[in-house]
Amino acid sequence: MSQTPLVEMIDIEKHFGGIRAVDHVSVDLREGEVVGLLGHNGAGKSCLMRILSGAMAPSGGEIRIRGEAVHFSEPNDARDMGVETIYQTLALADHLDAPANLFLGRELKTRFGNLDDKAMLKAAREVLARLNPNFKNLHDPVSSLSGGQRQVIAIARAIYFDTKVLIMDEPTAALGPSETAMVAGLIKELRSAGIGIFLVSHDIHDVFDLCDRVVVMNKGRLVGSHHIDEVSKDDVLSLIVKGELPMDWSARNLKAAQ
Amino acid sequence: MSDATKSYKSFDAASLLPGGASIHRLSALMTLLLLVVGFALSSQAFFSVNNGLTILLQTSVIGLLGIGMTMVIITGGIDLSVGSVLALSGVVSALAVKAGLPVVPAMGCGILAGAACGAFNGLVITRLRIPPFVATLGMMLIARGLALQITGAVPISGLGNAFGILGNGALFRMVEMRPNGFPKVIFPGIPYPAILLLIVAIAGAYLLHRRQIGRHIFATGSNEEASRLSGVRVDRTKLYAYTISGALAGLAGNVLMSRLVTAQPSEGVMYELDAIAAAVIGGASLSGGVGTISGTMIGAFIIGILRNGLNMSGVSAFIQQIVIGLVVIGAVWIDQIRNRP
Ligand SMILES: Nc1ncnc2c1ncn2[C@@H]1O[C@H](COP(=O)(O)OP(=O)(O)O)[C@@H](O)[C@H]1O
Ligand SMILES: [Mg+2]
């Protein structure tokens, strides 16, 4: 894989007053690659991802998409470049229904500039059925839906448009086992379609099942970036908790390489 | 289709006419009918054609303010300045007439002044991050002060007949000249302010339910951060809502001053409360994301009829204040109950 990475985040910084939420972090992502972003609560994962999705301005650093430096001043700038995000909070407007949320900010319009609710309903029905064949409540305000259904809407919104990079911030936090399996299947499908995925999680097992690479943050700093084959779950746990690999890791890894 | 969804999506008869599936609107409508019946029984004059026209005029002012207020409330905000902006706009129109402008462009100046006040509100709220309550409370004083300052607190009269047409004219009015030289009204016609209210209500409902800006007004009030992350220009959406509210306050000011054929800089005090009450009685929620134009229209009629009926029944102005105050508290209380999980 010698081509330019899909995404390069270089030396990204973000501070809030004295707090260094993101401290000189550099990561990249290639086409068809799933990168797991791990770390304790408060490690800075969401901040780093919000910077990539245009929801938060970095204090320093540079973002490149396909080698080209970009500047995202609002979420739509990132979306225009194919960077879609499933936020940890889902970012749904509670009083609106599923189609209205799916197209929020990118509403379909008729020739006269009116909202084309028919077309939005039709499209929503299709994409939601793809994710969950039992999804029926297309006319209810999303506040009345279950956590899983809300999550499905947030996912649908991120894959419906021309997605190149998908950021999933704790996508399975609100899901039951069958829905989690659906998300896992979806991730594999999207990966084979060449989409690059950042999967933020604190569940180490999810990450090992789905990811090609793990990136670990600890107190705002990047403490490790490893191919999934070169680390064990215990190694990653050590990175998450202590911010460093176990003492014997390099010895073990050398042996494995021989 | 559930009711909450209906309130922001459907733009059919039900979104303009009373009725539909809304229990809330239905109960508001029942209240309205009870008021009419009650006042009709307690006062003979209440049910006369003339009094009907008075109510229609009074309601059209509250209704125009209420439509703008509804949009602002749906974004999760509030506009306390509409009463003062109404006065300032009327005064600006009158001064423009005095300066030699024809009536129509002069009234246009007044409406523009109202829109400018609204835009100022919107900018203070979105740029300076001042809460709507405080920002529009400030504008309430600023606009009132301006209206009093530029007139020297003296009403402007002698504005000519043309200035009075908007507030006093009517469509299809039929007048017959009697042999004794006095005119006799055969059919009072449909007052212009009522027609204006109907047009603005339809336009407002269309904007809210059929246009992107309307969808974004609902989204912003529903969850501002989610809307921002979804690519909604939240600040611009609010700016629009406050500007519309200001412009409609300006329009209401012109209707009212035209009715009086005099520009009163002290007119419209506390009208913001009537407008808020109309919106909340009609089902708009002060926590944002919910509201309809049709509901607000019913609310405006309830307030208009309440004021008029109390007047006709000889209830003193002081008692009227107490009643309206209780109605406002009651309406907001009902809103709170509705929003409890
Ligand atoms: N908007 C904000 N203002 C101030 N501090 C923030 C803000 N967002 C995040 N932080 C802080 O930045 C740090 C990283 O947070 P976050 O990126 O949400 O962590 P994670 O997603 O890894 O749990 C935390 O200490 C958090 O309190
Ligand atoms: Mg997080």
Side-chain angles (χ1 to χ4, degrees):
Chain A
M1 274 204 271
S2 61
Q3 91 252 57
T4 29
L6 189 53
V7 178
E8 295 164 273
M9 297 185 79
I10 303 159
D11 209 26
I12 301 289
E13 275 182 276
K14 178 73 194 180
H15 21 88
F16 299 101
I19 305 169
R20 291 183 168 274
V22 179
D23 195 359
H24 298 280
V25 170
S26 299
V27 288
D28 56 16
L29 178 71
R30 286 162 193 280
E31 281 175 26
E33 188 184 32
V34 183
V35 170
L37 182 53
L38 286 160
H40 267 316
N41 261 339
K45 308 182 295 291
S46 292
C47 283
L48 185 67
M49 290 299 105
R50 285 166 75 91
I51 288 167
L52 180 57
S53 59
M56 186 184 266
S59 313
E62 188 182 305
I63 299 174
R64 291 189 199 151
I65 304 281
R66 292 211 167 94
E68 192 186 325
V70 291
H71 181 76
F72 298 152
S73 53
E74 56 176 35
N76 269 351
D77 295 343
R79 293 165 132 203
D80 288 346
M81 304 283 299
V83 179
E84 293 284 344
T85 311
I86 302 164
Y87 293 96
Q88 192 171 1
T89 56
L90 302 187
L92 300 176
D94 275 341
H95 297 91
L96 306 190
D97 62 12
N101 268 290
L102 196 67
F103 287 94
L104 188 55
R106 304 184 264 205
E107 287 81 0
L108 302 181
K109 292 183 204 155
T110 64
R111 214 149 28 101
F112 307 105
N114 292 332
L115 290 172
D116 196 346
D117 277 320
K118 252 192 210 143
M120 288 192 267
L121 176 64
K122 185 164 170 281
R125 186 172 280 137
E126 279 164 19
V127 62
L128 289 171
R130 207 181 118 202
L131 294 173
N132 177 356
N134 300 319
F135 200 108
K136 297 261 153 49
N137 321 63
L138 283 151
H139 297 297
D140 293 331
V142 298
S143 60
S144 70
L145 303 182
S146 71
Q149 286 175 312
R150 292 165 61 87
Q151 189 87 49
V152 164
I153 297 168
I155 294 172
R157 173 163 70 177
I159 62 166
Y160 178 76
F161 301 90
D162 189 18
T163 311
K164 307 275 193 308
V165 178
L166 180 60
I167 302 167
M168 306 174 103
D169 196 349
E170 313 261 2
T172 55
L175 298 185
S178 70
E179 287 158 321
T180 304
M182 178 276 288
V183 172
L186 180 72
I187 288 174
K188 286 175 188 150
E189 187 188 322
L190 295 173
R191 168 170 51 189
S192 48
I195 293 171
I197 301 176
F198 276 118
L199 176 62
V200 181
S201 179
H202 57 253
D203 186 339
I204 204 167
H205 305 291
D206 267 4
V207 169
F208 267 78
D209 288 345
L210 296 168
C211 297
D212 304 301
R213 200 147 53 86
V214 282
V215 168
V216 182
M217 287 182 75
N218 182 298
K219 293 180 189 148
R221 288 183 310 116
L222 185 101
V223 291
S225 169
H226 299 279
H227 198 266
I228 207 79
D229 298 333
E230 55 183 47
V231 280
S232 68
K233 285 182 185 172
D234 283 340
D235 295 337
V236 173
L237 211 57
S238 167
L239 277 171
I240 294 172
V241 177
K242 290 195 272 188
E244 56 188 29
L245 285 162
M247 302 278 252
D248 62 340
W249 176 78
S250 41
R252 264 192 294 125
N253 217 42
L254 246 150
K255 221 190 269 170
Q258 287 162 0
Chain B
M1 186 178 266
S2 92
D3 196 54
T5 307
K6 201 165 194 107
S7 82
Y8 76 88
K9 255 194 181 168
S10 68
F11 177 65
D12 48 22
S15 70
L16 284 171
L17 295 170
S22 163
I23 294 171
H24 186 89
R25 247 181 299 175
L26 219 63
S27 63
L29 206 60
M30 288 305 294
T31 314
L32 184 59
L33 287 177
L34 281 178
L35 275 178
V36 172
V37 171
F39 284 130
L41 291 177
S42 71
S43 160
Q44 292 262 305
F46 179 79
F47 235 32
S48 66
V49 171
N50 257 336
N51 194 46
L53 291 180
T54 309
I55 291 173
L56 217 47
L57 286 165
Q58 208 160 354
T59 304
S60 49
V61 171
I62 302 172
L64 288 172
L65 297 178
I67 290 166
M69 188 67 74
T70 303
M71 296 190 186
V72 167
I73 286 180
I74 294 173
T75 68
I78 193 95
D79 188 349
L80 299 178
S81 67
V82 293
S84 298
V85 170
L86 168 149
L88 178 63
S89 300
V91 161
V92 167
S93 297
L95 286 177
V97 167
K98 285 286 182 194
L101 241 62
V103 168
V104 173
M107 288 189 164
C109 290
I111 294 168
L112 271 181
C117 291
F120 186 87
N121 281 334
L123 288 174
V124 170
I125 290 161
T126 56
R127 294 292 133 120
L128 307 185
R129 308 267 152 216
I130 308 277
F133 186 90
V134 179
T136 59
L137 192 66
M139 178 52 74
M140 181 186 190
L141 295 176
I142 294 168
R144 180 70 62 191
L146 270 174
L148 291 167
Q149 179 65 36
I150 58 180
T151 56
V154 181
I156 307 169
S157 52
L159 293 167
N161 284 338
F163 194 82
I165 291 175
L166 176 64
N168 298 289
L171 196 64
F172 306 131
R173 176 176 289 170
M174 281 186 276
V175 182
E176 189 186 61
M177 272 311 195
R178 291 240 195 100
N180 62 8
F182 286 104
K184 178 183 188 290
V185 176
I186 301 168
F187 176 65
I190 310 160
Y192 288 142
I195 296 169
L196 193 65
L197 178 64
L198 184 67
I199 292 170
V200 173
I202 291 173
Y206 168 73
L207 201 75
L208 275 180
H209 304 298
R210 281 267 133 264
R211 303 297 296 192
Q212 190 177 38
I213 179 71
R215 180 66 45 88
H216 289 181
I217 284 176
F218 278 101
T220 299
S222 184
N223 186 336
E224 186 171 333
E225 176 63 4
S227 302
R228 198 178 71 83
L229 293 176
S230 305
V232 173
R233 298 230 163 84
V234 171
D235 284 354
R236 210 177 56 177
T237 304
K238 289 188 192 171
L239 184 61
Y240 273 127
Y242 284 94
T243 306
I244 291 171
S245 179
L248 289 181
L251 188 59
N254 278 297
V255 170
L256 191 64
M257 310 289 178
S258 163
R259 169 86 177 141
L260 307 168
V261 208
T262 309
Q264 288 272 9
S266 56
E267 192 58 62
V269 175
M270 304 278 213
Y271 274 30
E272 51 281 343
L273 288 188
D274 283 14
I276 293 166
V280 173
I281 290 171
S285 166
L286 290 177
S287 34
V290 179
T292 58
I293 300 296
S294 57
T296 300
M297 291 301 98
I298 298 171
F301 269 99
I302 289 180
I303 297 285
I305 286 181
L306 194 60
R307 277 204 188 280
N308 175 274
L310 291 174
N311 250 335
M312 301 294 288
S313 319
V315 176
S316 84
F318 309 136
I319 304 284
Q320 284 187 32
Q321 285 204 24
I322 297 171
V323 172
I324 302 278
L326 289 174
V327 168
V328 172
I329 292 175
V332 176
W333 180 57
I334 292 169
D335 172 42
Q336 300 277 341
I337 295 175
R338 249 186 301 151
N339 283 316
R340 245 168 243 164

